[in-house]
Amino acid sequence: MSASRRRSVTSRVLSVLDAFSSNRIQLSLSEISRRTGMPMATAHRLIGELVAWGALERDPSGRYQIGLRLWEVAVLAPRGLGLRGAAMPFMTDLYEATHQNVQLAVLDGSDVVYLERISGRHAVAVLSRVGGRWPAHATGVGLVLLAHAPAAVQERYVARPLVSFTDRTIVDPARLRGKLAEVRRTGIAISERQITEDATSVAAPIRDAGGEVVAALSVVVRAADPQLDVVIPAVAMAARGITRDLARQPLNRKQRA
Amino acid sequence: MSASRRRSVTSRVLSVLDAFSSNRIQLSLSEISRRTGMPMATAHRLIGELVAWGALERDPSGRYQIGLRLWEVAVLAPRGLGLRGAAMPFMTDLYEATHQNVQLAVLDGSDVVYLERISGRHAVAVLSRVGGRWPAHATGVGLVLLAHAPAAVQERYVARPLVSFTDRTIVDPARLRGKLAEVRRTGIAISERQITEDATSVAAPIRDAGGEVVAALSVVVRAADPQLDVVIPAVAMAARGITRDLARQPLNRKQRA
């Protein structure tokens, strides 16, 4: 078997995983075949192996979904499990102080990926979800992560056309650069009504033992009554607390414990 | 390429994922090669493809870890994301009522798998972790899930040798059968000091729209001061609330929204 054929099988396995998305969490055999471009017989054989291992599961109607075994392996991702473990006690503190949405996110490429959220039943509605992606420029966590990304990443981001979610979304390059400078200066990002008209996000950076910003913590509150005098110090303190814990127990050692 | 060779490549991909565990969240190329039985060159090529897609990431020291992209796909597992979404508001309610450990778990084979946990900073220490497995007979959530599993699953479980964690762990088949009957009768499982001497778990079943028990919710409290008169009704109410929400919005439709 040549290297190119072997690469082809691995990429087929990954293309099956790629076929699933938050809008398509269950797929039939023929949908997987169509979405991956694999013949039905090939897809059927490959899916059989993935089901046997537990990467996929078959629901009672015969459709396929991502399996629990894959989820178990995936939560070993250091940016998932490790950060989450360090952040969770501070996130519950923040939740109790605000009863709103407390979020933990990292930057991947130019997107924010949400690792965890605690939401109150009466908290203002937010559009993000755990495992979901969002463009960085309009969210509090995104502004924090972008502001501390390498200059080249920031410039590439600012140079491209930016999506506007509300009238308040900052899409002008010069204004966005100014906002990022402000975030670096103050240590806090406030994104007011930039995603939805009724929500304001307050975010702060989480640093690893080496001082690099590896994640962002935010509270999303009602824009009409943001109580920033309480929320800003609470978010800043919680982010510093997580940073301190990461410095005491570096991410890798902590996760191996 | 024959079917057997194709299966072999798929199983190699899965064996790389299998090489990672909570004790080994980062592995070098040679460790992966050794743990999977693949020659270094083969492992290197395969890992390259997994890194390109994002299933693995390389850390600054050159070791490999589970990648964020795999985590993003894996949180689409219905038993992960969907249940978690329905349960989270009730879990935060329970957390606020108790300030202890609030846990959500499902049964997989004969193990409990923990999907989510909210823990207070001063909560009694628990040994479980999100994504972790635990034998069913000694935990509150496990007793609930086992009590509602098919009779054949229960009998197979009870018939095998059971691990004892403390002097209180129920490992005698007749006593375990009696405990499971009690859980079905009362709708609540109380596991007192069965995992650690200082913790008691109170758990209740979560049912899907068809009435089947699909998950269990628990609060783990200090055994010395369990406040069962508060905790039992709180857990029962929260589990019923989640069940009601799942009936209103069946899991699959909810997840597709």
Side-chain angles (χ1 to χ4, degrees):
Chain A
M1 185 168 48
S2 72
S4 70
R5 292 310 295 265
R6 189 181 293 118
R7 180 163 66 243
S8 153
V9 177
T10 303
S11 73
R12 281 177 187 175
V13 171
L14 297 172
S15 74
V16 170
L17 300 183
D18 263 331
F20 293 86
S21 70
S22 59
N23 303 319
R24 290 179 299 267
I25 65 156
Q26 290 179 315
L27 296 171
S28 67
L29 170 60
S30 63
E31 285 169 325
I32 294 175
S33 162
R34 199 174 58 246
R35 295 186 58 82
T36 59
M38 270 189 269
M40 291 277 272
T42 310
H44 185 256
R45 221 164 27 227
L46 201 156
I47 289 168
E49 289 184 77
L50 294 174
V51 168
W53 186 82
L56 298 183
E57 288 171 355
R58 216 174 163 189
D59 84 349
S61 75
R63 291 161 70 90
Y64 296 96
Q65 56 198 29
I66 298 293
L68 198 63
R69 174 85 189 97
L70 190 68
W71 179 83
E72 286 180 66
V73 170
V75 294
L76 301 175
R79 293 211 281 175
L81 188 63
L83 261 177
R84 183 193 175 284
M88 203 56 169
F90 294 95
M91 292 181 71
T92 53
D93 286 353
L94 256 189
Y95 173 73
E96 290 200 73
T98 62
H99 292 98
Q100 289 292 331
N101 305 278
V102 181
Q103 306 194 115
L104 177 69
V106 294
L107 196 66
D108 193 58
S110 58
D111 293 330
V112 162
V113 176
Y114 289 92
L115 297 183
E116 186 58 272
R117 179 168 70 212
I118 306 179
S119 289
R121 179 185 304 286
H122 304 294
V124 62
V126 293
L127 302 179
S128 56
R129 62 172 184 82
V130 171
R133 283 178 177 262
W134 208 262
H137 65 280
T139 66
V141 284
L143 287 169
V144 162
L145 294 166
L146 207 51
H148 295 91
V153 172
Q154 290 186 40
E155 273 313 305
R156 247 197 330 272
Y157 195 102
V158 169
R160 64 180 205 175
L162 299 177
V163 179
S164 198
F165 300 97
T166 69
D167 291 350
R168 306 276 197 126
T169 312
I170 299 175
V171 293
D172 172 71
R175 280 192 61 211
L176 183 53
R177 278 194 203 94
K179 182 76 180 173
L180 296 176
E182 177 199 305
V183 170
R184 280 188 296 271
R185 199 173 59 244
T186 61
I188 284 281
I190 301 175
S191 171
E192 201 189 340
R193 305 180 197 259
Q194 287 203 60
I195 298 277
T196 54
E197 292 289 351
D198 57 352
T200 287
S201 169
V202 178
I206 295 169
R207 296 168 190 275
D208 68 9
E212 246 183 278
V213 172
V214 288
L217 182 71
S218 74
V219 176
V220 180
V221 295
R222 272 176 221 291
D225 180 26
Q227 303 190 277
L228 293 182
D229 54 329
V230 176
V231 170
I232 291 174
V235 173
M237 265 184 54
R240 275 201 294 270
I242 300 168
T243 296
R244 203 168 49 237
D245 272 12
L246 288 178
R248 248 200 302 263
Q249 287 185 280
L251 210 50
N252 300 344
R253 280 179 44 219
K254 178 163 204 144
Q255 288 153 343
R256 277 183 223 177
Chain B
M1 185 168 49
S2 72
S4 70
R5 290 311 296 268
R6 190 180 293 117
R7 182 165 63 245
S8 153
V9 178
T10 303
S11 73
R12 282 179 187 173
V13 171
L14 297 172
S15 74
V16 171
L17 300 183
D18 263 332
F20 293 86
S21 70
S22 58
N23 302 319
R24 290 178 298 268
I25 65 157
Q26 290 179 314
L27 297 171
S28 67
L29 170 60
S30 65
E31 285 169 325
I32 294 175
S33 162
R34 198 173 60 243
R35 296 186 58 82
T36 60
M38 272 189 269
M40 290 279 271
T42 310
H44 185 255
R45 217 161 31 224
L46 201 156
I47 289 168
E49 289 184 77
L50 294 174
V51 168
W53 185 82
L56 298 183
E57 289 171 354
R58 213 171 166 193
D59 84 350
S61 74
R63 290 160 72 89
Y64 296 96
Q65 55 197 31
I66 299 293
L68 198 63
R69 174 84 189 100
L70 190 70
W71 181 82
E72 285 181 67
V73 170
V75 292
L76 300 175
R79 294 211 281 175
L81 188 62
L83 261 177
R84 183 193 175 284
M88 203 56 171
F90 294 94
M91 293 180 70
T92 52
D93 286 355
L94 256 188
Y95 173 73
E96 291 200 72
T98 62
H99 292 99
Q100 289 292 329
N101 305 279
V102 181
Q103 306 195 113
L104 177 70
V106 294
L107 196 65
D108 193 60
S110 58
D111 293 330
V112 163
V113 177
Y114 290 91
L115 298 182
E116 186 57 275
R117 180 169 68 212
I118 306 179
S119 288
R121 180 185 304 286
H122 304 294
V124 62
V126 293
L127 301 179
S128 57
R129 64 171 181 84
V130 171
R133 285 179 175 260
W134 208 261
H137 65 280
T139 66
V141 285
L143 287 169
V144 162
L145 293 165
L146 206 51
H148 295 91
V153 172
Q154 290 184 42
E155 273 313 306
R156 245 195 334 270
Y157 196 102
V158 169
R160 64 178 207 177
L162 299 176
V163 179
S164 200
F165 300 96
T166 69
D167 290 352
R168 306 276 198 125
T169 312
I170 299 176
V171 294
D172 172 70
R175 279 192 63 212
L176 183 53
R177 278 193 203 94
K179 181 78 179 172
L180 295 177
E182 177 199 304
V183 170
R184 279 189 296 272
R185 197 173 62 243
T186 61
I188 285 281
I190 301 174
S191 172
E192 201 188 340
R193 305 178 196 261
Q194 287 203 61
I195 298 277
T196 52
E197 293 289 352
D198 57 351
T200 286
S201 168
V202 177
I206 295 169
R207 295 169 191 274
D208 67 8
E212 245 183 279
V213 172
V214 289
L217 182 71
S218 74
V219 176
V220 180
V221 295
R222 272 176 220 292
D225 179 26
Q227 302 191 278
L228 293 181
D229 54 331
V230 176
V231 170
I232 290 174
V235 173
M237 265 185 52
R240 276 201 296 269
I242 300 168
T243 296
R244 204 167 49 237
D245 273 12
L246 287 178
R248 247 199 304 261
Q249 286 184 281
L251 209 51
N252 299 345
R253 280 177 43 218
K254 178 165 204 142
Q255 288 154 342
R256 278 183 222 176

